[in-house]
Amino acid sequence: MDYQRIISIEPGKRGGRACIRHMRIAVADVLGWLAAGQSHQQILDDFPELTEEDIRACLAYAADRERRLITAST
C-alpha cells in the first residue's frame, strides 16, 4: 500500500506526529484504538471522516517504520 499519499507529517500539527490526510487524527491514535480491541468498523463509526483505506495506511506506515528501525539497528 502506498501510505505516503494518506499519511502526512506537518511540524505545527499534533507536535509533528504522523497524521491522516492532513487531519488532526494521528496514526498513533488509530493504532492505539486497534490495540485496545476496537474493530475497524467501530473506529469508522466514531470517526466518519476516516475510511477503511486510512486505517490500512496506518498499519502499513507502522509496519514500514518497524522494518526501517530493525534494518537500521543491524
Side-chain angles (χ1 to χ4, degrees), residues 10-48:
E10 299 175 50
K13 190 177 287 179
R14 296 291 308 261
R17 294 167 63 200
C19 292
I20 301 166
R21 290 186 289 115
H22 304 284
M23 294 187 283
R24 298 191 66 78
I25 300 172
V27 169
D29 296 334
V30 175
L31 296 174
W33 300 326
L34 291 169
Q38 286 192 344
S39 70
H40 289 206
Q41 192 56 54
Q42 287 171 316
I43 294 169
L44 296 173
D45 289 345
D46 289 345
F47 296 91

Side-chain angles (χ1 to χ4, degrees), residues 63-74:
D64 188 47
R65 185 175 167 127
E66 179 68 13
R67 272 192 297 279
R68 283 186 277 138
L69 287 174
I70 291 170
T71 303
S73 68
T74 54

